[in-house]
């Protein structure tokens, strides 16, 4: 295991996922995106798990899981990833949790540790608030980030604070590709149509 997070890999892995995303921008539909992986990933709520165990969600969180937000594991029998998330949290928390867990899968993390969590956070941040879209909208205030990307105040602050780092790591190819896709989604026409 490496001692330091590989932010270059984590950042660009998010953009590789966005390259196959066929949903709308700027608010990435994380559930739609996860459906694209339905042959490899199953998603479960804490509510459904608690119901199966005959306990409340609060009891399930306190007694059955290590994370209040969510977790992922690979089911060797089914040969697929299983994502579990706390559906009683607010929408912005759920979106980040699911993006974070997808990051663990895409980055092929095989254990839970601080380095992998930092990489998954980087992946989630770039997936939900892509640098080319940030640049295109020229966002300045935390509230603008929250509204544009449907993210929490805390995540918006982190996105804004780490914007320089994310811009540094994204490849030009990924930047151009996602900028073009986002432009088409938002404007209804491609950059080529605009100039010709």
């Amino acid at each position: 295991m490496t001692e330091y997070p590989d932010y270059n890999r984590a950042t660009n892995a998010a953009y590789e996922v966005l390259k196959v995303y066929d949903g709308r921008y700027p608010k990435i539909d994380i559930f739609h995106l996860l459906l694209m992986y339905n042959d490899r990933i199953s998603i479960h709520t804490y509510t459904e798990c608690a119901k199966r165990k005959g306990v409340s969600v609060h009891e399930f969180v306190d007694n059955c899981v290590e994370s209040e937000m969510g977790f992922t594991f690979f089911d060797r029998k089914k040969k697929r990833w299983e994502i579990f998330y706390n559906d009683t949290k607010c929408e912005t928390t759920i979106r980040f949790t699911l993006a974070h867990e997808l990051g663990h899968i895409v980055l092929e993390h095989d254990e839970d540790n601080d380095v992998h969590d930092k990489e998954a956070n980087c992946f989630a941040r770039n997936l939900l608030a892509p640098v080319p879209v940030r640049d295109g909208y020229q966002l300045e205030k935390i509230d603008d980030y929250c509204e544009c990307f449907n993210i929490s105040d805390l995540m918006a602050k982190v996105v804004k604070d780490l914007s320089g780092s994310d811009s540094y790591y994204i490849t030009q190819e990924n930047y151009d590709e996602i900028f073009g896709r986002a432009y088409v989604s938002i404007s209804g026409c491609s950059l080529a149509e605009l100039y010709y």
Side-chain angles (χ1 to χ4, degrees), residues 22 30-31 44 49 51 59-60 80 83 87 91 103 123 128 137 142 145 153 168-169 195-196:
D22 60 359
I30 190 67
F31 287 100
H44 312 278
C49 295
K51 194 175 200 177
E59 291 169 316
F60 180 76
R80 57 191 296 120
I83 295 178
D87 54 313
E91 182 183 2
F123 174 94
L128 296 178
Y137 277 100
I142 297 296
Y145 283 88
D153 287 352
Y168 175 80
Y169 286 116
Y195 291 111
Y196 296 108

Side-chain angles (χ1 to χ4, degrees), residues 77-115:
K77 285 183 185 174
K78 295 179 183 176
K79 295 188 168 135
R80 57 191 296 120
W81 290 96
E82 306 285 340
I83 295 178
F84 296 81
Y85 72 96
N86 190 341
D87 54 313
T88 66
K89 296 294 182 183
C90 68
E91 182 183 2
T92 57
T93 299
I94 290 170
R95 286 168 42 74
F96 181 81
T97 299
L98 291 172
H100 175 94
E101 296 305 327
L102 179 60
H104 282 307
I105 294 168
V106 170
L107 295 167
E108 300 176 335
H109 292 156
D110 56 2
E111 62 180 278
D112 192 19
N113 59 52
D114 188 51
V115 169

Side-chain angles (χ1 to χ4, degrees), residues 6-9 11-12 15 122 125-126 131-132 134-135 162-175:
D6 186 344
Y7 292 122
N8 181 52
R9 180 172 173 253
T11 297
N12 287 291
Y15 294 102
C122 176
R125 179 176 70 245
N126 281 280
V131 168
R134 296 181 218 169
D135 290 352
L162 296 177
S163 194
S165 173
D166 294 337
S167 295
Y168 175 80
Y169 286 116
I170 186 174
T171 66
Q172 190 64 50
E173 176 189 336
N174 283 337
Y175 186 97

Side-chain angles (χ1 to χ4, degrees), residues 45-57 59-60 87:
T45 66
Y46 279 14
T47 297
E48 71 181 73
C49 295
K51 194 175 200 177
R52 270 194 241 125
K53 289 194 162 289
V55 298
S56 70
V57 173
E59 291 169 316
F60 180 76
D87 54 313

Side-chain angles (χ1 to χ4, degrees), residues 30-38 41 43 83 98 102:
I30 190 67
F31 287 100
H32 176 77
L33 196 148
L34 285 167
L35 280 175
M36 295 170 23
Y37 292 90
N38 68 359
I41 299 173
I43 306 167
I83 295 178
L98 291 172
L102 179 60

